[in-house]
Amino acid sequence: MSGSSLRSFEYLESLPGTVFNRLYQQPSTALAIFRRMLTHLAKTFVMAMLYIGHPLSIADLESWIRPDSRRERDQAINLLERLHILRVTADPRKSRAYTITNPFLGSLRLALTGGGHHNSFGVPCNTLDKNPISVAELDEYARRQWEGVLGYMVGSAGASLVDEGVRLSDGVKKLLKDGGLVKQKLSKAEITQEGFAFILQEVNAQVWTVLIYYLDAAEEMNMDSVDVLSFLFMLGSLELGQDYSKATLTPTQLQMLDDLSDFGIVYQHAATSSRFYPTRLATTLTSDSGALRSASAGFDNALRSPDGKGFIVIETNYRVYAYTTSQLQIAILQLFTRLSTRYPNMVAGKITRESIRHAVAMGITSEQIISFLTTHAHPQMRKNNPILPATVVDQIRLWQIEGERMKATPGFLFKDFLTAVDFEACSKYAEEIGVSVWKNENRRMFFVTRYEQVAAYLKNRPKKIAGS
């Protein structure tokens, strides 16, 4: 699951079942979650059960899966249950069986076959726009607005980086602050560790991160969070370059158009206009991974050189050369580098103990810095193995740990197993599904980042385990 999918999935997973019942009444939402959130095997299960008309026994479903694919089967079933798509029921013979929940079943059928008057996929305008907007203009608008957001976040490193044509509203600035991406220091905003991690994400993941913060703030703005989420899924189903009518939108959705315009997610000629255009940032919200990479490439020049290649050269003496004219790129580099010289197409500087300690003080980690330098290394640097000089990488880490000795990992501790066999079976399962972080065989305890699948494994084991 991509970073953006994971972020949106974690939000959905926290919602109660009654919210899913409302969400799945919209075919666009059911289709978006089917396309974006489900694994290939989970999709196969859903499509196989979509039209059979009766519950599918657990024995029949398990007969489709090879014995060595138990892990994939458990992950797919667990995912469908957490999204309230699949539930266990009893067929007329009283045996346990799976069935697809309603209204997800009806909405997905409707999304796949068409029909109805739900307006779930938007209503295209039936009149010509006197001032039509091309796809290229929409891309430029979205890029400019989104770079304005990133520029505001890193602008504290130098002069203001917000494009002269971009005016960020107070609501946008408050959202970034409330989300922990920036913090107020005296009279200016300063990027945080979470903000720098945000900068390192691909664009679609950045958009979803901001939208999750927007959803969290919906109640404060007197907006229906379910209506907000449904509209976001609808935007992901729209066609780039097509104008859509506002006539069928709810008051909450009309308010959202004004807010989303600040981020470049939608375009409208004016707030009073009767139509709006989704930009590429909107139409890729629920795309598959291939389309997301393609869409991200269209906006990625906020962090890459104009030709799409890396632009940073680092020498073993800690000297840094960045072949760029982008104010945004230079400002990001200046967060952890002491820049000394600027040329028409290049800036030069040096990574120092003070510059790294300054970045660490803002919450930026050494791993984030190394990741940024590796991702945006010049093609000449990529001929080396490793890409970055080992002395530079090691020293950046050492400068950080001068003041830090511990790393916290949130998770859950399983302990008090009665027998070694029980402990080994459960801890091995946690390792198989990739959630195990630490274990102590002598004390029969292990630590995991997620507990849902492990708890389900404990519940379904024929022999009861006394772990908790």
Side-chain angles (χ1 to χ4, degrees), residues 155-174:
S156 57
S160 175
L161 299 176
V162 180
D163 189 287
E164 291 183 359
V166 177
R167 293 290 180 267
L168 298 185
S169 66
D170 292 337
V172 171
K173 296 177 182 179
K174 184 178 185 300

Side-chain angles (χ1 to χ4, degrees), residues 371-436:
S371 175
F372 177 84
L373 294 173
T374 303
T375 302
H376 305 294
H378 192 277
Q380 285 296 115
M381 295 287 296
R382 296 190 173 278
K383 296 179 181 179
N384 304 329
N385 187 18
I387 296 174
L388 302 181
T391 53
V392 175
V393 172
D394 291 342
Q395 190 60 62
I396 290 174
R397 291 189 175 121
L398 288 172
W399 279 330
Q400 177 182 349
I401 65 176
E402 285 179 358
E404 298 180 8
R405 300 295 179 186
M406 299 180 65
K407 178 183 178 182
T409 301
F412 307 87
L413 180 67
F414 284 77
K415 61 179 182 177
D416 298 334
F417 290 88
L418 296 181
T419 68
V421 175
D422 292 340
F423 167 76
E424 286 296 333
C426 196
S427 63
K428 182 178 179 181
Y429 179 75
E431 291 173 355
E432 288 178 353
I433 62 176
V435 298
S436 179

Side-chain angles (χ1 to χ4, degrees), residues 121-294:
F121 295 97
V123 179
C125 287
N126 53 14
T127 58
L128 293 177
D129 190 351
K130 296 180 181 178
N131 299 294
I133 303 297
S134 67
V135 171
E137 289 172 322
L138 288 173
D139 282 349
E140 175 59 23
Y141 169 77
R143 181 200 61 78
R144 188 173 65 251
Q145 292 294 127
W146 197 252
E147 284 192 5
V149 173
L150 300 180
Y152 169 76
M153 292 176 58
V154 301
S156 57
S160 175
L161 299 176
V162 180
D163 189 287
E164 291 183 359
V166 177
R167 293 290 180 267
L168 298 185
S169 66
D170 292 337
V172 171
K173 296 177 182 179
K174 184 178 185 300
L175 191 66
L176 297 176
K177 181 181 176 182
D178 291 346
L181 301 181
V182 296
K183 60 183 177 183
Q184 200 69 27
K185 191 172 183 179
L186 298 178
S187 60
K188 64 180 181 180
E190 186 176 89
I191 194 169
T192 64
Q193 177 181 343
E194 291 76 13
F196 195 78
F198 175 87
I199 293 290
L200 295 178
Q201 294 174 342
E202 50 100 4
V203 176
N204 191 265
Q206 292 176 347
V207 174
W208 265 113
T209 298
V210 168
L211 293 178
I212 295 302
Y213 294 147
Y214 188 83
L215 282 162
D216 290 338
E219 186 175 346
E220 182 183 336
M221 296 184 291
N222 297 318
M223 301 171 72
D224 183 355
S225 59
V226 177
D227 201 6
V228 172
L229 193 53
S230 296
F231 187 60
L232 295 179
F233 283 126
M234 187 197 83
L235 288 177
S237 69
L238 302 184
E239 181 182 349
L240 183 64
Q242 173 67 52
D243 53 338
Y244 292 86
S245 173
K246 294 183 181 180
T248 59
L249 302 184
T250 66
T252 291
Q253 293 170 348
L254 290 173
Q255 181 182 341
M256 286 181 65
L257 285 180
D258 294 334
D259 297 333
L260 297 180
S261 295
D262 291 336
F263 290 102
I265 297 174
V266 297
Y267 173 85
Q268 47 186 348
H269 295 301
T272 57
S273 176
S274 61
R275 67 187 73 219
F276 71 95
Y277 291 82
T279 70
R280 199 179 299 271
L281 293 179
T283 59
T284 57
L285 282 174
T286 57
S287 299
D288 56 22
S289 57
L292 288 176
R293 285 195 294 269
S294 175

